[in-house]
């Protein structure tokens, strides 16, 4: 950079209606890849990024804040409150406000735009989705709009990176508008109370502002009607909206809408199993081959044992399920980006209300199939406190991606190879039923909970149904990559640490019996590798594991878990997976690997062959269903508990949730085992 180049730093706030395209514009400006979606409420918290560029020998650095979508400066929900308070907080020192307005629906977006202009920040208006507006035959007089609003107006197409250069130039030359769009003769305003002061005070106490808010909206819409009539020309028939209406006639139909929703979910879970099976087998085989290679390459000893039976076995138990998790996020991304997720919320609103929820609960609940943590944060878009608390309480009952490895392993043991109707995959059907069970229990719990949560507050559901759009494959693939990366890195750290601890606890013991068994194994290993010696080695290996540190721990809790059909080995996995459910599979892989000196089989084959002292199979349908139901309802996620505490600001909800889910999990597993055994 030349020595005479000036350096200017500006702080930018992006504001606009929900689903106006703020996140896409934020990603285009900063180069980041925050989640985008074709429905309202994608952004529920402030996001920050930065960008630098050179204009006329001046280097500009923009700190960009993406705030949750709002319809007006008088918030109705927690996420809207975050946006308004951040904007008006003097400590934030916002230099320029960029208003993001949907060009295909300018009339609705101008309400917020004119309110923001009246706050007297330096302002730029970015018209998003100009490509769609043009395809619909909508013509906007940009020069006329620019003159009347008193701010620069930039046409944008964030998907194709159109308009960003012009937007950056407009930001650095932005000015405060000279225009006013509120009623300067309003009795609520005087010399001592400006518009910005009135808005700021409403955020503090919210009292006495509803009358002014309503009067302000009526006054503004009179002006907005004039602006739209003068500067916007749109044909009566809009092809894309017409196509959307035809599709909506089915997807939002009072009967066919539910059929379509169930069919979509059913096919998603069928494809998850159908497509993922082959790559899962490849990954498992690769880890077995790698483990065998390490075993034969290194000299026998503690390090060899740790690497093969501890680390490689534990990590393989989770990595092999990456294909299924990736496909789950891929399908969710398509549903969100196409606009179908908003329809799911719309048709489920009536159903949800009967159970103490509303349509805005649907998106967090469906998103909960991926992960409960961001879904709980997404409940900020629910304005009614009672419905929000109930949604947060029941959301962890939805089966998330962390449960997927557990489900997949146990379903594969239950139904090793079977189909129904000659076409569909039985394993996919069971997985679909487990997810439906999660939804059903979620609704039943909400139904009873609404009788105990007392909050006198009116409930309403407003959601704009966006037009259908072709999903952006690039964005979805990046989202899948990011989610899988987080899953592997976060779960990998925990599993790596637990695998090492488990290996130590399963390879060492303090009792005389353990020492005697260890001595016998050493003698046999130095003897000839006959078939009899191999059988005896496997038997001694099982006895040694049972008398190791971890074997003793498993026996301590066995009386508590025995009524559910669980033995001491499963008990160890229950303990280690308390912080994160997916650790169950890694733990099982590590435990059973320590019994398989030859490293020849995957975890599924080992569970299928596992027998008790009487020679009976351990993983019977009764035990598998008991385990499935236990993991379907048990909390076992420290991250979820932390975010519930953060969102409810109370340990009371966390402890009540933990107690309820633990009792439900134990009772369900106990009932399933007693019924099926």
């Amino acid at each position: 950079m030349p020595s005479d180049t000036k350096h200017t730093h500006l702080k930018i706030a992006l504001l606009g209606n929900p689903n106006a395209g703020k996140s896409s514009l934020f990603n285009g400006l900063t180069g980041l890849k925050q989640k985008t979606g074709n429905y309202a409420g994608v952004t529920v918290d402030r996001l920050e990024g930065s960008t630098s560029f050179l204009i006329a020998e001046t280097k500009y650095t923009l700190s960009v804040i993406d705030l949750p979508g709002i319809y007006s400066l008088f918030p109705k929900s927690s996420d809207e409150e975050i946006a308004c308070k951040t904007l008006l907080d003097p400590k934030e020192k916002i230099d320029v406000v960029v208003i993001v307005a949907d060009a295909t629906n300018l009339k609705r977006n101008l309400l917020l735009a004119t309110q923001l202009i009246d706050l007297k920040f330096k302002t730029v208006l970015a018209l998003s989705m100009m490509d769609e507006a043009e395809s619909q035959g909508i013509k906007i007089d940009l020069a006329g709009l620019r003159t009347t609003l008193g701010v620069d107006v930039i046409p944008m197409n964030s998907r194709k990176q159109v308009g960003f250069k012009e937007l950056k130039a407009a930001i650095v030359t932005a000015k405060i508008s000279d225009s006013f769009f509120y009623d300067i003769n309003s009795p609520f305003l005087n010399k001592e109370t400006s518009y910005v002061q009135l808005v700021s005070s409403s955020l503090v106490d919210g009292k006495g502002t509803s009358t002014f808010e309503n009067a302000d909206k009526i006054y503004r819409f009179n002006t907005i009607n004039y602006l739209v009539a003068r500067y916007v020309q749109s044909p009566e028939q809009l092809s894309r909206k017409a196509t959307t209406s035809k599709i909506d006639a089915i997807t939002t139909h009072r009967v066919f809408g539910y059929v379509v929703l169930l069919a979509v979910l059913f096919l998603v879970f069928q494809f998850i199993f159908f497509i993922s099976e082959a790559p899962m087998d490849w990954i498992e085989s690769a880890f077995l081959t790698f483990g065998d290679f390490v075993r034969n390459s290194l000299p026998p000893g503690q390090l060899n044992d740790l690497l093969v039976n501890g680390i490689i076995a534990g990590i393989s138990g989770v990595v092999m399920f990456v294909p299924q998790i990736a496909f789950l996020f891929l399908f969710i991304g398509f549903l969100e980006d196409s606009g179908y997720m908003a329809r799911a919320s719309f048709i489920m609103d009536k159903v949800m209300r009967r159970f103490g929820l509303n349509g805005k609960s649907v998106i967090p609940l469906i998103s909960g199939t991926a992960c409960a943590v961001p879904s709980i944060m997404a409940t900020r878009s629910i304005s009614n406190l009672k419905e929000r608390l109930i949604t947060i309480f029941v959301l962890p009952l939805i089966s998330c991606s962390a449960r997927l490895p557990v489900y997949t392993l146990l379903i594969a043991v239950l139904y090793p190879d079977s189909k129904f109707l000659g076409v569909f995959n039985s394993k996919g059907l069971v997985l679909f039923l487990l997810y439906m069970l999660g939804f059903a229990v979620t609704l039943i719990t909400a139904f009873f909970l609404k009788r105990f949560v007392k909050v006198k507050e009116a409930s309403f559901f407003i959601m704009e149904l966006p037009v259908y759009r072709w999903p952006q494959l690039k964005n979805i693939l990046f989202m899948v990559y990011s989610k899988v990366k987080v899953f592997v890195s976060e779960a990998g750290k925990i599993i790596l640490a637990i695998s090492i601890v488990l290996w130590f606890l399963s390879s060492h013991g303090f009792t005389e019996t353990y020492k005697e068994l260890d001595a016998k194994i050493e003698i046999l290993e130095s003897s000839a590798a006959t078939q009899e010696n191999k059988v005896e080695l496997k038997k001694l290996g099982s006895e040694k594991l049972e008398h190791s540190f971890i074997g003793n721990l498993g026996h301590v809790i066995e009386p508590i878990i025995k009524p559910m059909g669980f033995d001491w080995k499963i008990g160890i996995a229950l303990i280690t997976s308390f912080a994160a459910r997916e650790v169950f599979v890694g733990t099982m892989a590590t435990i059973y690997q320590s019994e398989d000196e030859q490293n020849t089989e995957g975890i599924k084959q080992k569970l299928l062959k596992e027998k008790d002292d009487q020679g009976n199979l351990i993983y019977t349908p009764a035990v598998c269903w008991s385990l499935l139901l236990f993991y379907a309802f048990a909390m076992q996620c420290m991250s979820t508990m932390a975010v519930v505490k953060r969102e409810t600001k109370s340990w009371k909800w966390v402890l009540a949730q933990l107690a309820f889910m633990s009792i439900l999990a134990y009772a369900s597993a106990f009932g399933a085992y007693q019924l099926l055994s």
Side-chain angles (χ1 to χ4, degrees), residues 142-417:
L142 298 175
L145 200 59
R146 193 176 289 130
T147 303
T148 305
L149 294 179
V151 300
D152 213 346
V153 180
I154 308 297
M156 306 284 301
N157 178 0
S158 300
R159 292 189 171 214
K160 295 185 177 179
Q161 294 289 304
V162 174
F164 282 93
K165 183 179 177 183
E166 292 79 5
L167 179 64
K168 289 175 182 175
I171 287 173
V172 301
T173 59
K175 61 179 184 178
I176 297 173
S177 172
D178 295 326
S179 303
F180 293 87
F181 299 95
Y182 60 87
D183 183 5
I184 57 175
N185 296 316
S186 169
F188 297 93
L189 299 167
N190 51 48
K191 291 182 179 178
E192 288 75 32
T193 308
S194 64
Y195 184 78
V196 65
Q197 286 174 322
L198 193 63
V199 173
S200 299
S201 64
S202 75
L203 295 174
V204 176
D205 53 27
K207 295 178 181 177
T209 56
S210 60
T211 307
F212 170 73
E213 181 186 347
N214 293 332
D216 186 52
K217 282 182 181 176
I218 293 170
Y219 186 85
R220 282 179 193 279
F221 270 120
N222 288 330
T223 307
I224 290 168
N225 287 334
Y226 164 77
L227 291 173
V228 171
R230 183 166 184 181
Y231 300 123
V232 181
Q233 292 181 341
S234 58
E236 292 183 1
Q237 297 294 329
L238 304 178
S239 59
R240 185 169 297 220
K241 288 189 175 178
T243 305
T244 292
S245 297
K246 289 178 183 175
I247 299 174
D248 279 346
I250 300 173
T251 55
T252 60
H253 190 271
R254 60 181 179 178
V255 177
F256 297 129
Y258 298 105
V259 175
V260 170
L261 178 59
L262 285 174
V264 167
L265 294 176
F266 177 77
L267 290 175
V268 164
F269 293 119
Q270 281 292 312
F271 274 106
I272 284 175
F273 258 104
F274 175 72
I275 302 173
S276 308
E277 210 151 18
M280 285 177 65
D281 290 340
W282 298 336
I283 293 172
E284 188 176 29
S285 299
F287 269 99
L288 286 172
T289 305
F290 180 62
D292 200 40
F293 170 76
V294 173
R295 181 191 299 281
N296 296 325
S297 301
L298 295 177
Q302 294 279 309
L303 179 61
N304 188 319
D305 200 33
L306 169 63
L307 289 174
V308 177
N309 297 331
I311 296 174
I312 296 175
I315 296 294
S316 71
V318 169
V319 174
M320 65 178 284
F321 295 100
V322 163
Q324 286 193 327
I325 291 166
F327 282 119
L328 176 65
F329 282 119
L330 183 71
F331 287 124
I332 289 176
F334 270 101
L335 294 178
E336 289 178 341
D337 224 34
S338 64
Y340 180 73
M341 202 69 96
R343 272 75 186 176
S345 293
F346 174 74
I347 64 171
M348 288 298 292
D349 181 49
K350 282 186 181 177
V351 178
M352 289 291 173
R353 285 188 182 281
R354 295 175 185 173
F355 294 93
L357 304 170
N358 80 20
K360 280 197 173 182
S361 304
V362 174
I363 286 179
L365 291 178
I366 293 180
S367 300
T369 57
C371 182
V373 173
S375 303
I376 288 171
M377 292 177 66
T379 61
R380 292 176 184 177
S381 62
I382 302 172
S383 57
N384 184 285
L385 179 61
K386 176 179 178 178
E387 291 170 346
R388 185 176 177 226
L389 288 173
I390 293 175
T391 305
I392 290 174
F393 188 90
V394 301
L395 218 153
L397 291 167
I398 298 293
S399 291
C400 63
S401 59
R403 289 179 171 105
L404 198 55
V406 183
Y407 287 170
T408 305
L409 176 63
L410 295 171
I411 293 172
V413 173
L414 259 175
Y415 304 99
D417 186 23

Side-chain angles (χ1 to χ4, degrees), residues 558 561-568 570-571 574 623 626-627 630 669:
E558 197 168 19
I561 61 176
K562 195 71 178 175
M564 295 186 286
F566 304 161
D567 65 2
W568 58 274
I570 298 175
L574 294 184
V623 172
S626 176
L627 265 172
F630 183 86

Side-chain angles (χ1 to χ4, degrees), residues 362-623:
V362 174
I363 286 179
L365 291 178
I366 293 180
S367 300
T369 57
C371 182
V373 173
S375 303
I376 288 171
M377 292 177 66
T379 61
R380 292 176 184 177
S381 62
I382 302 172
S383 57
N384 184 285
L385 179 61
K386 176 179 178 178
E387 291 170 346
R388 185 176 177 226
L389 288 173
I390 293 175
T391 305
I392 290 174
F393 188 90
V394 301
L395 218 153
L397 291 167
I398 298 293
S399 291
C400 63
S401 59
R403 289 179 171 105
L404 198 55
V406 183
Y407 287 170
T408 305
L409 176 63
L410 295 171
I411 293 172
V413 173
L414 259 175
Y415 304 99
D417 186 23
S418 60
K419 291 187 175 181
F420 72 100
L421 299 179
V423 179
F424 297 109
N425 190 311
S426 296
K427 289 179 273 191
L429 176 65
V430 175
L431 187 64
F432 171 73
L433 292 176
L434 279 169
Y435 274 78
M436 290 300 102
L437 178 66
F439 277 111
V441 174
T442 296
L443 293 179
I444 294 169
T445 304
F447 178 77
F448 287 104
L449 197 58
K450 75 175 183 179
R451 299 170 187 275
F452 296 101
V453 181
K454 305 293 182 187
V455 178
K456 291 183 178 179
E457 192 176 349
S459 173
F460 60 91
F461 174 53
I462 301 173
M463 172 169 273
E464 178 195 0
L465 294 182
V467 295
Y468 288 104
R469 298 190 180 100
W470 285 109
Q472 287 187 289
L473 186 61
K474 183 181 173 184
N475 286 353
I476 293 174
L477 290 178
F478 189 87
M479 184 270 287
V480 171
Y481 167 75
S482 303
K483 296 288 185 184
V484 170
K485 184 181 172 185
V486 168
F487 176 81
V488 171
S489 60
E490 294 299 318
K493 289 176 193 170
I494 300 171
I495 290 165
L496 181 63
I498 289 179
S499 296
I500 294 172
V501 173
L502 275 175
W503 166 81
F504 176 81
L505 294 175
S506 61
S507 304
H508 298 78
F510 62 90
T511 63
E512 287 302 321
T513 307
Y514 180 88
K515 292 173 183 174
E516 289 172 8
L517 289 167
D518 199 30
K520 287 180 182 178
I521 288 173
E522 275 190 30
I523 294 171
L524 272 176
E525 284 179 337
S526 59
S527 305
T530 62
Q531 186 61 34
E532 290 78 11
N533 282 352
K534 288 180 181 176
V535 173
E536 185 62 18
L537 264 176
K538 190 169 184 179
K539 181 184 173 187
L540 290 175
S542 296
E543 291 179 19
K544 182 183 168 187
L545 176 66
E546 191 170 353
H547 290 87
S548 65
F549 287 122
I550 200 151
N552 287 313
L553 179 62
H555 282 297
V556 168
I557 66 166
E558 197 168 19
I560 301 171
I561 61 176
K562 195 71 178 175
M564 295 186 286
F566 304 161
D567 65 2
W568 58 274
K569 292 178 188 173
I570 298 175
I572 293 165
L574 294 184
I575 294 172
T576 56
S577 63
F578 179 79
R581 303 174 183 99
E582 58 271 34
V583 175
F584 171 83
V585 178
T587 301
M588 296 295 276
T590 304
I591 292 173
Y592 282 99
Q593 186 62 30
S594 63
E595 293 182 339
D596 182 11
E597 296 294 330
Q598 300 304 312
N599 188 35
T600 54
E601 295 179 328
I603 179 63
K604 185 180 85 175
Q605 284 72 31
K606 287 167 186 167
L607 296 188
L608 283 169
K609 295 178 181 177
E610 179 71 358
K611 294 180 180 177
D612 61 17
D613 295 337
Q614 287 73 44
N616 301 314
L617 288 173
I618 288 183
Y619 290 91
T620 60
V623 172

Side-chain angles (χ1 to χ4, degrees), residues 9-13 46 63 65 91-96:
H9 181 275
L10 296 172
K11 195 168 187 179
I12 312 301
R46 59 180 285 166
S63 296
I65 306 175
K91 295 177 183 174
E92 294 289 345
K93 297 179 180 176
I94 303 294
D95 294 304
V96 180

